[in-house]
Amino acid sequence: MIAVATKNGYILLFDIVYSGQEKYLYEPAYPKGNQRVKVTTGYKEEQCAPSITVEMKKVLDFQAQITSLQSMQDDLVIATNDRILHLIHWDGLTNGRKAINLCSVPFSVDLQSSRGPSLDFECVCIQDMEYCATLDGFAVVFDDGRIGFITPESSKLTAEDFHGVWAQDVTDGTCVAINNKYKLMAFGCANGSVLVYTMDTTTGSMQLSHKLELTPKHYPDIWNKTGAVKLVKWSPDWSVAMVTWDCGGLSLWSVFGAHLFCTLGGDFAHYSDGTKKEPIKISSMSWGAEGYHLWAISSDNNNQEINSDLENKSVIQQAEILQFQFIKSALTVNPCMNNQEQVLLQGEDRLYLNCGDALQNQNSSTASANSGHQPVREKNLLLDDILIPQGLSTLLGHRHWHIVQIHSTYLESNWPIKFAAIDHLGQCVAVAGKYGIAHYALFTRKWKLFGNITQEQNMAVTGGLAWWNDFIVLACYNLIDQQEELRLYLRSSNLDNVFAHITKVQAGTLLINVFRDMVILFRADCSICLYSIDRNDNGPNPTASVQVLQEVSMSRYIPHPSLVVSITLTSVRTETGITLKMPQQACAAESIMLNLAGQLIMLQRDRSGPQVREKDSISKHKKLLPSCAPIVLAQCVENVWTTCRSNKHKRHLLEALWLSCGEAGMKVWLPLFPRDNRKPHSFLSRRIMLPFQINIYPLAVLFEDALVLGAVNETVLYDNLYVHNSENEPLEVLFPFCTVERTSQIYLHHILRQLLVRNLGEQALLLAQSCATLPYFPHVLELMLHEVLEEEATSREPIPDPLLPTVAKFITEFPLFLQTVVHCARKTEYALWNYLFAAVGNPKDLFEECLLAQDLDTAASYLIILQNMEVPAVSRQHATLLFNTALEQGKWDLCRHMIRFLKAIGTGELETPPPTPTTQEPSSTGGFEFFKHRSISFSQSTEGLSTGKFNLQKTLSMPSGPSAKRWSKDVDSAENMYIDEMLWRHARRLLEEMRLKDLSSFAAQLGFELIGWLCKERTRAARVEDFVKALKRLHKDFLWPFPVIPSCSFVNSPFKNVGDQFLKSQSMETFANSELESGIINARGSHICLGLNTAHGEMDSGSFQGPQTQDAILSPLLSKGDECSIGSATDLTETSSMVDGDWTMVDEHFSTLSLTPSELEYISMELANKGPCKSQVQLRYLLHIFMEAGCLEWCTVTALILRDSAVMGQIISSIQRSEISNDVLQGIKDGMLAVDGWASSDCPGYKPFLNRIKPQLQKLNTVTEEQIQPEAFQPSSRLSISKAVEPPSPWSEDSRNTASHVNSSQNDNGSGISRQEDDGQREEEEEPHVDEGSYECSLS
């Protein structure tokens, strides 16, 4: 029947009458041969729209305006404005009607004061009311704004049987909505807020539970301008409430006040051009089936009668109907444990999963095992292989969903979807609609439906469904047998009752859950039934058997079965110490968690008696013990999370109980463990309830990862397709396109803070240490420090017991203390720094700790703090320390920042702090990037020979990278001199310690003027005191192997000539003769190697004039990682550059030689004596630098390690033509003698090369004796680099011809020498002008 209230006080009762069984308004058209039409009886009739008529049955006149109309069970309650409540029956009016005067109903604050005088309700009437079945009464709003609750004390429903309670301090009520599942009354108010009340069971008074109101923090423009609340509507599953106001707009809230979204802010309130929208006003709204839709009727100010001219009639503008689509969490209707670690959202025709990435992570074996019909055997149901959660990369990899469209064939007859569940691996989902079930596997991307449609249509899932391993467990009602059943279906088998295990259940099932190998059911008779599941793999397909374990009646504690929100089996107990005595019970089902209308009740087993087992061998399960009295753990609980896994390293997180409490945030019931298994204190509790706030609505908890997963509503504007000022603008333009995004939040810092507040620092330390391996653990510490700092430092009132010192002391227990503090400071306002460092320590001391810990990047961040808090002198002092340390450790990026920082301190240019340098990535060239930063070009330098001299500072070492900015400024400033002094000091120390590789990296990375500086230091720091030590150091730094000699003797061998040719050709491979700076050789690219074709004639080992060579062939080879270690001859042969493919000998006549095994051994040994190609490039470049700077001692050492006799000849020639210091000459002579002695005793591999350069050494002795004259000790005013260094002829001309390289390097005493002498004479005659500050230098 339908009851309609009219404006004039009439109630019209209509009866719905079907026109006929064979008449339909609409009939679906099915293709021929449709199985469902053939098999299912009455299927077509169910899908047709019947033809019905509405017949008026009765008209009732109440002679007063009707203000509210409500249905109460079999009665209809009508409230009129004459303060009368009328009660009539739906099934005819034979019993008459009852009228109750509100003036005769006593009202009080609570039921205990009912004997007192009633309040003044004589002049008020009911404006709105709604019946609450679970509270058995009416929530009412009076026309004066007061609110109350009227309940009958008996079933007679007379005036004497009613009693009312009212809420104090509320005078602006407008409407009311009842939540029967949670026993809540939501009263809308004129100020825009919604007051949610509950009834106190002890006193009977109305208690305020929470408020639904917009906050000025999130809605600063509209929070107090919404107007009065017009409507409040709870969803069909009672989990959310929709609110609308007189000024328009919609807002969605969870049952206990968590705000989900609002259309009065963001893209809902503004167009894409920034103009403000006019919110849509809603006059009526109602939720659709299962809460997937919200139907709303819009009302506008223009939707009223418009009176125009007399000839025009009044025009009524029609309102529009809006439909909003929603998706919801599967936990709202199916709160099983499987859905707790994955975010599973269900819509009317699709599922949203956050585990789609697992498809890529599945290996082939798992996919093949799961996709087939072969049984998957499990050794032990408690093993980790069936309890492994998804990793962070899967659950947090991206923000997109894996959307699974539900099979259209199933939706055709079973829309809408009621229940959904996902397995613990996140790979399989099952859904249940109006009838039957269907399941989907992500790894096969296929749905499985009932093959027998009759079986599907004869089963209706009533209590939900869950996964147990690869079985689907569901509670259903058998329509054929009219019997409640518990069924198990195997995923890999066909979906058919033949493969199902069916157990009959006594009463209807409302909720189902699975814990390990146990199933728990909550039934309609308020009883709990426990079942055990056993797996049997003996047959072709695995089967499962179900056995009843225990039944517990909860009728004493549960007034109505519909009040139970969820039921869960857990291993949580109030006394966690039992896990120390009996570890096997740590994962056993110890208690039942029951969410009763928001009250979390724990029913745990009583283990106070002796632990016994059943003697019956048939049942292998432990005998279930009696339960203790129920305990109320928390109020206002929406969701509960727990796990059946165990991890001894993270017991705090896995043995905790996680609660979602609406606007109160989350709560965790955390276990407290004694440290090192010590005996706990008797006065300490075993568990503690900790509340904390989060910024998202929690939908899943990752226990080991300390993360909460959720979903958030995102909007996209598309109104630019329409004209805003159009009169016929569609309503949907006012609403943006909405999408659902995945989100997550860390909660660990909240728990640590709560433990520190309660002086449980030891427990906080244990918890933090167990999570220290998480990748975001440093962020956790930083968040905790930052939140406490913000709250305490900005507090307007003094804090008696500040928490910041405790937090600072706690963070010092971790090695990330220094980074945490400075990162927090850099993200905090400068005004709060003093408060922060008063608690954590002086920043100067923290800076020094960073230096001691060699954490230079963090020290650089502290330098920014010091620069803002201290005087410039202190900043300069600490910056100098950091700069020197960074130079020593080769932190080149940091060095460049420090150069800029030091210069800015002196000039006052540092207004913004320099960025904290990031971790320097290792270069593939080992720090040698000469050819990348160096801008010198030999083709350009030879053009400058006409002027004789050029500016080394501006030409030779001018960097082309970021470091060029430093050199482009005034070099004469005090700051530059201060920085240069530090750079020179560091370079001098590197050179004195013979660390040439570090010196080269230093010069290349910072753009240091290496040649100019060496020119000044060639008689000081550039001297070599110990040739042997220097040679050894070069071998070590450049991974250059010590030369070895073959074991066989070939003094009289005919291969001697060939060997000599080979050695000489190797010695003549000079990389310095190629155009290095022109980009032919790049340390980061492919190496260009020379293969020389040697002649068959004999070559004199002491002469460099005679032999004629054929054309050399350039053979480019790919670069490889040719780092080799210095070891034995065999190791060097195996790791030599020849084996790695870095060198090759290309000789068209070499194959004609008949080589003996001893000769092949000799060749391989010589190849093993060469180091990596990259090292050879670096050594050749260093040799070139030393030649330019006139550092002949280092040139000699470099020539020795390269075993290049041509370079030795060039050095002797330079000594003969230049005025070289006697000390340098004597040093070279003594050094060569020392090397000869060392080679004779320790390294005989150098002896062949030393014997080959004996003529040059004899010339050195002669020159030394001639130079030891009295005039040689007179100080010279100036040394010309062109006299001190006579580079080979290829350095003074375009050397792109490789043959000219070889010829010019060999013909030291031939035409090349004469050409050099002529050039030198021209250079001495020309003396161009030299700018001040430049070095007098020329290249020949």
Side-chain angles (χ1 to χ4, degrees):
M1 295 183 66
I2 300 176
V4 178
T6 65
K7 185 177 181 180
N8 296 327
Y10 290 94
I11 293 291
L12 308 180
L13 296 177
F14 294 91
D15 200 359
I16 300 176
V17 180
Y18 288 90
S19 299
Q21 296 181 357
E22 298 181 357
K23 295 182 180 181
Y24 302 99
L25 293 179
Y26 300 99
E27 296 184 9
Y30 296 100
K32 295 182 179 181
N34 186 284
Q35 279 191 338
R36 292 183 178 270
V37 179
K38 288 183 177 181
V39 177
T40 307
T41 304
Y43 174 78
K44 182 177 180 180
E45 290 74 7
E46 291 182 0
Q47 305 301 320
C48 296
S51 175
I52 58 176
T53 58
V54 180
E55 297 179 357
M56 183 174 294
K57 186 176 182 181
K58 189 73 175 179
V59 177
L60 302 178
D61 183 10
F62 291 90
Q63 300 178 356
Q65 184 178 357
I66 298 174
T67 59
S68 181
L69 184 66
Q70 281 291 316
S71 175
M72 183 184 70
Q73 298 175 2
D74 295 334
D75 297 319
L76 185 65
V77 182
I78 301 101
T80 57
N81 62 354
D82 57 355
R83 299 180 294 280
I84 301 296
L85 276 178
H86 301 272
L87 283 81
I88 62 176
H89 292 284
W90 279 103
D91 53 350
L93 306 176
T94 55
N95 296 333
R97 59 186 181 184
K98 301 178 182 178
I100 302 173
N101 194 338
L102 288 178
C103 298
S104 61
V105 177
F107 277 87
S108 59
V109 177
D110 54 45
L111 296 179
Q112 293 180 350
S113 57
S114 59
R115 298 180 182 274
S118 61
L119 299 178
D120 184 14
F121 281 96
E122 295 181 357
C123 300
V124 297
C125 62
I126 295 177
Q127 176 180 324
D128 189 16
M129 70 175 180
E130 189 168 341
Y131 178 71
C132 181
T134 54
L135 291 175
D136 192 19
F138 296 92
V140 296
V141 177
F142 298 99
D143 58 355
D144 63 351
R146 286 186 285 183
I147 60 176
F149 183 77
I150 301 176
T151 178
E153 297 181 354
S154 65
S155 59
K156 297 179 181 180
L157 299 180
T158 59
E160 295 77 11
D161 296 329
F162 278 93
H163 184 271
V165 293
W166 68 292
Q168 304 181 70
D169 303 328
V170 179
T171 58
D172 59 346
T174 58
C175 59
V176 63
I178 293 297
N179 190 321
N180 283 291
K181 194 174 191 66
Y182 289 89
K183 297 193 297 185
L184 297 176
M185 299 171 286
F187 294 94
C189 300
N191 61 359
S193 63
V194 177
L195 306 179
V196 183
Y197 280 87
T198 184
M199 295 298 296
D200 188 356
T201 56
T202 56
T203 63
S205 62
M206 297 177 61
Q207 288 188 346
L208 180 64
S209 173
H210 56 278
K211 296 181 180 181
L212 309 181
E213 57 185 358
L214 302 179
T215 60
K217 178 180 179 181
H218 299 95
Y219 300 92
D221 301 330
I222 198 66
W223 69 278
N224 57 352
K225 302 176 184 179
T226 59
V229 177
K230 187 173 183 63
L231 291 171
V232 180
K233 293 293 182 181
W234 293 97
S235 62
D237 54 18
W238 311 106
S239 59
V240 293
M242 185 66 78
V243 179
T244 184
W245 295 273
D246 286 343
C247 296
L250 293 169
S251 184
L252 189 66
W253 312 78
S254 72
V255 62
F256 287 109
H259 195 200
L260 301 180
F261 83 90
C262 180
T263 63
L264 296 179
D267 291 339
F268 288 100
H270 298 86
Y271 291 103
S272 55
D273 57 2
T275 58
K276 189 174 180 59
K277 299 177 183 178
E278 186 68 24
I280 294 181
K281 299 177 177 61
I282 304 297
S283 61
S284 179
M285 61 182 178
S286 177
W287 287 93
E290 300 297 331
Y292 295 129
H293 302 95
L294 179 72
W295 297 83
I297 300 177
S298 64
S299 64
D300 202 343
N301 295 331
N302 296 327
N303 292 350
Q304 55 187 355
E305 293 186 0
I306 303 176
N307 297 323
S308 56
D309 297 336
L310 295 176
E311 64 273 8
N312 295 334
K313 298 181 180 180
S314 60
V315 179
I316 299 179
Q317 199 172 25
Q318 296 294 329
E320 297 190 44
I321 298 178
L322 299 175
Q323 184 195 59
F324 301 93
Q325 296 184 2
F326 290 88
I327 58 175
K328 61 182 180 180
S329 171
L331 294 174
T332 57
V333 289
N334 190 31
C336 62
M337 190 176 294
N338 300 125
N339 297 339
Q340 292 184 351
E341 290 191 60
Q342 284 92 17
V343 178
L344 176 61
L345 305 180
Q346 64 185 62
E348 60 173 341
D349 60 350
R350 69 196 62 192
L351 301 175
Y352 287 72
L353 289 77
N354 71 330
C355 50
D357 293 346
L359 285 173
Q360 304 174 0
N361 300 331
Q362 287 289 320
N363 53 32
S364 58
S365 61
T366 304
S368 61
N370 292 337
S371 60
H373 296 282
Q374 297 298 325
V376 181
R377 298 186 179 273
E378 315 266 352
K379 294 182 179 180
N380 190 341
L381 298 181
L382 304 183
L383 293 179
D384 293 337
D385 56 351
I386 63 170
L387 300 173
I388 297 176
Q390 297 187 31
L392 286 178
S393 61
T394 300
L395 297 176
L396 301 178
H398 52 73
R399 295 174 60 86
H400 301 289
W401 296 93
H402 185 87
I403 302 178
V404 178
Q405 188 75 30
I406 300 176
H407 203 286
S408 59
T409 304
Y410 182 76
L411 285 176
E412 183 181 343
S413 57
N414 298 299
W415 180 93
I417 297 301
K418 295 182 178 180
F419 305 101
I422 188 170
D423 68 340
H424 61 275
L425 292 177
Q427 291 297 289
C428 303
V429 290
V431 296
K434 183 179 179 181
Y435 299 110
I437 63 169
H439 60 87
Y440 177 85
L442 271 71
F443 45 81
T444 61
R445 298 182 182 272
K446 292 181 180 180
W447 280 95
K448 277 192 177 183
L449 310 179
F450 270 95
N452 189 336
I453 302 176
T454 305
Q455 294 181 3
E456 175 190 278
Q457 297 297 312
N458 290 337
M459 177 189 70
V461 178
T462 58
L465 67 164
W467 285 88
W468 178 75
N469 299 338
D470 51 350
F471 285 89
I472 303 173
V473 185
L474 56 93
C476 64
Y477 180 74
N478 191 329
L479 299 177
I480 299 297
D481 299 338
Q482 296 184 357
Q483 173 67 47
E484 297 286 342
E485 295 175 346
L486 176 65
R487 296 188 180 185
L488 276 76
Y489 289 92
L490 181 64
R491 180 198 55 79
S492 58
S493 301
N494 293 333
L495 197 54
D496 194 286
N497 292 342
V498 176
F499 303 102
H501 180 84
I502 302 177
T503 302
K504 294 183 179 180
V505 182
Q506 296 180 358
T509 303
L510 301 181
L511 292 169
I512 187 173
N513 211 333
V514 175
F515 179 84
R516 292 191 175 272
D517 57 348
M518 297 178 65
V519 177
I520 182 171
L521 301 181
F522 179 76
R523 301 185 299 202
D525 58 355
C526 295
S527 64
I528 298 174
C529 187
L530 297 176
Y531 295 86
S532 66
I533 311 177
D534 288 331
R535 181 189 180 98
N536 185 9
D537 294 325
N538 294 331
N541 290 318
T543 58
S545 60
V546 178
Q547 181 181 2
V548 179
L549 291 179
Q550 188 176 8
E551 294 186 9
V552 181
S553 177
M554 298 291 293
S555 57
R556 294 176 52 191
Y557 311 103
I558 301 176
H560 197 282
S562 63
L563 297 176
V564 178
V565 179
S566 66
I567 186 168
T568 308
L569 266 176
T570 72
S571 58
V572 175
R573 287 185 55 86
T574 54
E575 300 293 333
T576 59
I578 191 173
T579 60
L580 299 177
K581 300 178 181 178
M582 304 181 66
Q584 68 274 9
Q585 295 177 0
C587 302
E590 294 292 330
S591 56
I592 299 174
M593 297 293 174
L594 199 69
N595 187 352
L596 180 62
Q599 275 191 343
L600 187 62
I601 299 176
M602 182 177 71
L603 189 69
Q604 64 179 342
R605 296 180 182 178
D606 186 5
R607 293 191 178 273
S608 58
Q611 306 298 306
V612 294
R613 295 178 180 269
E614 290 186 353
K615 297 181 180 179
D616 189 3
S617 59
I618 299 177
S619 177
K620 299 182 180 179
H621 299 278
K622 288 182 294 184
K623 182 179 180 180
L624 296 180
L625 303 175
S627 302
C628 302
I631 303 174
V632 178
L633 295 181
Q635 303 281 349
C636 302
V637 178
E638 293 182 0
N639 286 315
V640 181
W641 291 274
T642 182
T643 182
C644 57
R645 298 193 307 273
S646 61
N647 188 339
K648 63 179 181 180
H649 300 293
K650 294 184 178 181
R651 294 181 60 190
H652 283 91
L653 299 179
L654 287 178
E655 297 184 25
L657 190 69
W658 306 88
L659 313 176
S660 172
C661 301
E663 67 168 357
M666 291 188 70
K667 295 180 181 180
V668 54
W669 200 33
L670 196 70
L672 303 179
F673 299 106
R675 194 168 188 176
D676 300 329
N677 293 333
R678 292 177 293 182
K679 185 177 180 181
H681 297 287
S682 58
F683 59 87
L684 288 180
S685 175
R686 300 296 190 271
R687 284 186 178 268
I688 187 171
M689 187 71 74
L690 302 176
F692 58 92
Q693 287 287 342
I694 58 174
N695 299 325
I696 65 174
Y697 187 80
L699 297 177
V701 175
L702 302 183
F703 302 96
E704 293 94 339
D705 301 315
L707 282 176
V708 172
L709 303 182
V712 63
N713 186 69
E714 296 290 346
T715 56
V716 180
L717 288 173
Y718 61 96
D719 55 2
N720 53 359
L721 303 177
Y722 301 90
V723 180
H724 301 331
N725 55 6
S726 174
E727 295 181 359
N728 298 324
E729 182 180 20
L731 286 178
E732 59 267 18
V733 179
L734 297 177
F735 293 91
F737 182 77
C738 297
T739 59
V740 181
E741 299 289 343
R742 295 164 53 178
T743 183
S744 61
Q745 185 173 341
I746 304 171
Y747 60 78
L748 183 58
H749 60 288
H750 295 297
I751 301 178
L752 297 177
R753 178 181 176 181
Q754 293 293 334
L755 290 173
L756 294 178
V757 168
R758 291 159 175 79
N759 294 324
L760 295 173
E762 184 175 333
Q763 296 294 325
L765 185 61
L766 290 175
L767 176 58
Q769 288 174 348
S770 66
C771 301
T773 57
L774 294 176
Y776 39 82
F777 181 73
H779 186 57
V780 170
L781 299 180
E782 184 181 335
L783 281 175
M784 180 172 62
L785 181 63
H786 180 77
E787 291 182 0
V788 175
L789 173 64
E790 289 282 347
E791 291 183 10
E792 296 188 356
T794 58
S795 177
R796 297 182 178 180
E797 298 180 358
I799 300 175
D801 189 14
L803 184 62
L804 187 61
T806 305
V807 173
K809 185 178 179 181
F810 175 78
I811 297 178
T812 56
E813 298 290 335
F814 300 92
L816 302 172
F817 165 69
L818 298 172
Q819 295 93 319
T820 302
V821 172
V822 74
H823 290 169
C824 178
R826 292 289 301 273
K827 299 174 184 177
T828 310
E829 297 180 4
Y830 170 74
L832 309 182
W833 283 6
N834 288 329
Y835 189 85
L836 171 64
F837 288 103
V840 300
N842 194 316
K844 292 186 290 186
D845 298 334
L846 301 177
F847 175 84
E848 294 175 0
E849 290 184 24
C850 291
L851 289 184
L852 292 177
Q854 302 296 318
D855 190 358
L856 303 189
D857 293 337
T858 305
S861 298
Y862 277 106
L863 195 59
I864 308 301
I865 306 296
L866 293 174
Q867 191 270 336
N868 287 275
M869 299 183 66
E870 302 289 344
V871 295
V874 176
S875 300
R876 180 194 298 271
Q877 177 186 1
H878 289 79
T880 303
L881 290 175
L882 180 58
F883 186 35
N884 291 331
T885 309
L887 286 174
E888 176 62 29
Q889 295 189 5
K891 301 282 187 178
W892 308 123
D893 288 340
L894 179 58
C895 290
R896 285 189 284 269
H897 286 300
M898 293 310 303
I899 290 174
R900 184 176 70 89
F901 185 82
L902 284 170
K903 295 181 68 175
I905 289 179
T907 59
E909 298 174 356
L910 189 61
E911 297 180 358
T912 59
T916 303
T918 56
T919 304
Q920 182 181 6
E921 296 182 358
S923 175
S924 60
T925 60
F928 277 77
E929 298 183 2
F930 305 109
F931 313 108
K932 180 179 178 182
H933 295 287
R934 186 175 171 85
S935 61
I936 180 174
S937 174
F938 284 95
S939 61
Q940 298 175 0
S941 63
T942 54
E943 296 176 358
L945 290 176
S946 59
T947 60
K949 300 174 184 179
F950 54 92
N951 193 337
L952 279 174
Q953 185 176 9
K954 296 181 179 178
T955 306
L956 286 179
S957 300
M958 178 65 68
S960 61
S963 58
K965 299 179 181 179
R966 187 179 76 83
W967 305 106
S968 63
K969 296 184 179 180
D970 186 6
V971 296
D972 296 330
S973 65
E975 292 301 325
N976 286 346
M977 289 300 298
Y978 179 72
I979 297 172
D980 288 340
E981 284 293 337
M982 287 189 288
L983 294 176
W984 295 340
R985 188 184 309 115
H986 181 69
R988 189 178 300 112
R989 188 169 63 85
L990 293 177
L991 196 57
E992 290 174 351
E993 296 178 359
M994 304 176 183
R995 294 160 56 185
L996 293 189
K997 191 167 186 178
D998 295 339
L999 177 64
S1000 305
S1001 299
F1002 158 73
Q1005 293 287 346
L1006 300 183
F1008 183 69
E1009 302 171 356
L1010 187 58
I1011 298 178
W1013 178 79
L1014 286 173
C1015 289
K1016 296 188 299 182
E1017 296 288 337
R1018 62 171 171 256
T1019 59
R1020 291 175 294 183
R1023 294 289 308 278
V1024 180
E1025 300 295 336
D1026 190 344
F1027 272 52
V1028 176
K1029 183 178 180 181
L1031 197 59
K1032 291 181 179 179
R1033 185 59 187 257
L1034 290 182
H1035 276 286
K1036 177 181 178 182
D1037 291 348
F1038 290 93
L1039 300 176
W1040 198 268
F1042 288 95
V1044 293
I1045 58 176
S1047 59
C1048 61
S1049 176
F1050 57 94
V1051 177
N1052 299 322
S1053 172
F1055 183 68
K1056 178 182 178 181
N1057 295 334
V1058 178
D1060 290 341
Q1061 295 175 17
F1062 179 79
L1063 290 176
K1064 289 183 177 295
S1065 66
Q1066 291 297 313
S1067 66
M1068 288 182 293
E1069 292 177 6
T1070 167
F1071 275 74
N1073 292 340
S1074 61
E1075 294 181 353
L1076 303 180
E1077 283 75 9
S1078 299
I1080 293 181
I1081 298 179
N1082 193 315
R1084 302 176 67 91
S1086 60
H1087 303 305
I1088 307 300
C1089 308
L1090 299 179
L1092 301 180
N1093 295 325
T1094 59
H1096 297 286
E1098 290 189 359
M1099 297 178 64
D1100 188 6
S1101 62
S1103 174
F1104 294 91
Q1105 302 175 2
Q1108 295 181 357
T1109 60
Q1110 299 178 0
D1111 293 340
I1113 300 175
L1114 291 179
S1115 181
L1117 298 177
L1118 295 177
S1119 174
K1120 293 187 178 181
D1122 48 5
E1123 299 290 345
C1124 64
S1125 59
I1126 301 175
S1128 62
T1130 304
D1131 297 334
L1132 292 172
T1133 303
E1134 293 175 354
T1135 59
S1136 66
S1137 56
M1138 181 66 174
V1139 177
D1140 291 340
D1142 293 329
W1143 299 94
T1144 182
M1145 294 294 297
V1146 182
D1147 192 341
E1148 58 183 359
H1149 304 294
F1150 197 75
S1151 60
T1152 61
L1153 296 176
S1154 57
L1155 301 180
T1156 63
S1158 60
E1159 294 168 351
L1160 291 175
E1161 180 185 1
Y1162 182 82
I1163 293 177
S1164 62
M1165 198 63 64
E1166 284 300 320
L1167 293 175
N1169 292 339
K1170 285 190 173 296
C1173 183
K1174 180 172 64 178
S1175 297
Q1176 182 157 1
V1177 173
Q1178 296 168 352
L1179 287 170
R1180 291 287 180 184
Y1181 187 82
L1182 282 176
L1183 177 62
H1184 165 66
I1185 294 294
F1186 288 135
M1187 280 291 200
E1188 287 191 27
C1191 301
L1192 298 183
E1193 292 174 301
W1194 276 113
C1195 290
T1196 305
V1197 175
T1198 310
L1200 282 174
I1201 191 174
L1202 292 173
R1203 293 186 297 155
D1204 196 335
S1205 57
V1207 176
M1208 292 298 298
Q1210 297 164 17
I1211 295 173
I1212 301 303
S1213 300
S1214 300
I1215 292 175
Q1216 291 176 346
R1217 299 179 183 85
S1218 305
E1219 297 178 0
I1220 304 301
S1221 170
N1222 181 45
D1223 295 338
V1224 175
L1225 293 177
Q1226 191 64 36
I1228 295 176
K1229 178 181 177 181
D1230 297 342
M1232 293 303 297
L1233 292 175
V1235 170
D1236 185 69
W1238 169 72
S1240 300
S1241 60
D1242 296 336
C1243 189
Y1246 270 109
K1247 292 300 292 183
F1249 176 70
L1250 293 177
N1251 294 333
R1252 193 161 60 250
I1253 63 173
K1254 278 184 180 181
Q1256 286 85 345
L1257 298 181
Q1258 292 174 359
K1259 291 181 182 180
L1260 176 63
N1261 293 332
T1262 304
V1263 174
T1264 305
E1265 292 174 357
E1266 292 176 356
Q1267 290 286 341
I1268 304 178
Q1269 301 295 335
E1271 62 271 16
F1273 295 95
Q1274 298 295 328
S1276 60
S1277 60
R1278 180 174 296 175
L1279 289 177
S1280 175
I1281 299 179
S1282 62
K1283 294 180 180 181
V1285 181
E1286 291 291 340
S1289 58
W1291 294 354
S1292 58
E1293 63 187 37
D1294 191 8
S1295 55
R1296 295 186 182 274
N1297 192 320
T1298 312
S1300 64
H1301 292 191
V1302 181
N1303 294 330
S1304 60
S1305 64
Q1306 291 178 348
N1307 300 330
D1308 295 323
N1309 301 325
S1311 60
I1313 298 178
S1314 63
R1315 188 165 55 250
Q1316 294 170 9
E1317 291 174 352
D1318 296 339
D1319 295 341
Q1321 292 174 1
R1322 286 199 305 270
E1323 293 165 12
E1324 291 175 356
E1325 293 174 359
E1326 300 176 359
E1327 292 182 6
H1329 175 70
V1330 180
D1331 295 337
E1332 184 180 358
S1334 64
Y1335 297 101
E1336 299 179 5
C1337 175
S1338 63
L1339 290 181
S1340 59

